[in-house]
Amino acid sequence: MQTLELYKKDIYHGFLILVNEHYHYNHVQLHLAEYFHHLLHKDVFKILDHFFEKYHFHHKIAIISAYRSFQEQKHIYEQSLLENGKNYTQQFVAKPHCSEHETGLAIDFGLKKENIDFICPEFPYDGICQEFRQCAYQYGFIERYAENKQDITHIAKEPWHFRYVGFPHSIIMKEQDLCLEEYHDFIKNHTIYNPYIYVAHQKIIEIFYVPMTQEKTTLCLKDDVVYQVSGNNIDGFIITTWRTYL
């Protein structure tokens, strides 16, 4: 058996953290990398670079916005209030501390053209943009704000806004039509004794939730599994394990 130690202070780290108006981002030290003049989480940079290169998306799709500091998000929010008004801003611009862009895990894309709207870039459901959208889930990205989830996310439909959550979480969300808020509720129903099981690429993947009611928790995992840990930014961790099946 292998031992995994979890600390309550780390629930604010990871690819699956939920950041919204209810669960503010606790700014932690980020490891960022530059990609086409934008900063991203360094691991997301590697995956996106491979994704873009494989399909040659960089010829027609531009990154409009990626990582933003708290100060940048505050400026964008206040500027939008002045230029676009309260109703528009509340639909499309998150308040500082509530924006996924502050995590380095969110990216706004747009069609490459001469004039691009920074707040609402054009990213239609056809052509090269739709090709990107259909492939994105395989690389761990979700279209974060769908029209049919507005009552849950409290953000208007944003076809251009994608969030990295990692594989297989992105695929599960797509297959079950879950936004990130719903996915967190879904995974909370699965413990280490009753994990959610997903099979892909000759791997058995088990996903489960660990609540943090004390400062430290120790788990015992099988020796033959590889695991990934993500805090949920609320009250615990989501553990993902992989093992090969014969």
Side-chain angles (χ1 to χ4, degrees):
M1 302 292 284
Q2 54 181 319
T3 300
L4 171 60
E5 295 182 341
L6 302 173
Y7 296 88
K8 193 172 184 178
K9 63 181 178 63
D10 294 325
I11 64 173
Y12 310 111
H13 299 261
F15 294 139
L16 287 165
I17 56 172
L18 179 63
V19 176
N20 58 26
E21 62 182 343
H22 301 295
Y23 303 109
H24 294 186
Y25 182 56
N26 288 270
H27 285 263
V28 297
Q29 183 176 0
L30 294 175
H31 299 286
L32 301 170
E34 186 175 333
Y35 189 65
F36 287 98
H37 308 295
H38 293 274
L39 293 176
L40 298 169
H41 187 289
K42 67 179 181 61
D43 294 328
V44 178
F45 154 76
K46 294 175 185 176
I47 293 165
L48 186 66
D49 183 48
H50 174 70
F51 183 25
F52 259 52
E53 287 296 323
K54 181 176 180 179
Y55 293 96
H56 307 291
F57 286 133
H58 56 278
H59 295 303
K60 294 184 178 180
I61 294 176
I63 295 176
I64 309 305
S65 182
Y67 167 76
R68 302 172 190 160
S69 67
F70 167 81
Q71 290 77 12
E72 288 175 306
Q73 187 65 31
K74 183 173 183 289
H75 173 75
I76 291 168
Y77 185 83
E78 292 175 348
Q79 195 68 25
S80 182
L81 284 174
L82 290 172
E83 296 178 358
N84 305 308
K86 184 177 180 180
N87 290 338
Y88 179 94
T89 300
Q90 288 181 335
Q91 286 188 76
F92 296 109
V93 184
K95 293 180 179 179
H97 284 315
C98 305
S99 173
E100 292 191 326
H101 284 285
E102 295 173 56
T103 70
L105 302 172
I107 309 166
D108 292 344
F109 296 99
L111 272 176
K112 277 191 174 180
K113 56 182 188 177
E114 188 172 343
N115 296 308
I116 300 176
D117 187 327
F118 178 78
I119 300 296
C120 297
E122 184 181 351
F123 205 74
Y125 289 92
D126 58 23
I128 192 73
C129 296
Q130 187 62 8
E131 183 183 343
F132 172 93
R133 187 176 281 109
Q134 290 172 341
C135 297
Y137 294 92
Q138 296 290 340
Y139 288 84
F141 293 92
I142 58 170
E143 185 177 342
R144 180 67 173 93
Y145 301 115
E147 187 170 18
N148 66 334
K149 303 296 182 180
Q150 291 183 51
D151 290 344
I152 300 169
T153 64
H154 300 153
I155 296 289
K157 173 184 174 182
E158 293 191 358
W160 55 84
H161 182 107
F162 286 77
R163 160 70 190 272
Y164 184 80
V165 295
F167 181 91
H169 309 285
S170 53
I171 296 292
I172 297 168
M173 283 185 237
K174 180 175 175 58
E175 290 178 349
Q176 301 201 25
D177 189 28
L178 300 174
C179 65
L180 188 55
E181 285 82 358
E182 293 173 306
Y183 188 64
H184 277 272
D185 291 338
F186 172 73
I187 292 300
K188 281 189 173 183
N189 294 319
H190 296 277
T191 69
I192 190 172
Y193 305 107
N194 178 38
Y196 179 77
I197 298 175
Y198 189 83
V199 179
H201 308 311
Q202 295 187 312
K203 302 285 186 182
I204 296 175
I205 305 168
E206 296 185 351
I207 307 167
F208 56 91
Y209 164 70
V210 178
M212 289 300 290
T213 56
Q214 51 195 4
E215 293 304 313
K216 178 183 175 181
T217 294
T218 301
L219 302 179
C220 290
L221 303 176
K222 295 177 181 178
D223 285 329
D224 63 343
V225 303
V226 175
Y227 63 84
Q228 187 176 75
V229 179
S230 176
N232 63 5
N233 198 43
I234 307 168
D235 56 10
F237 292 91
I238 296 171
I239 313 297
T240 308
T241 70
W242 291 263
R243 59 187 170 88
T244 303
Y245 69 86
L246 300 178

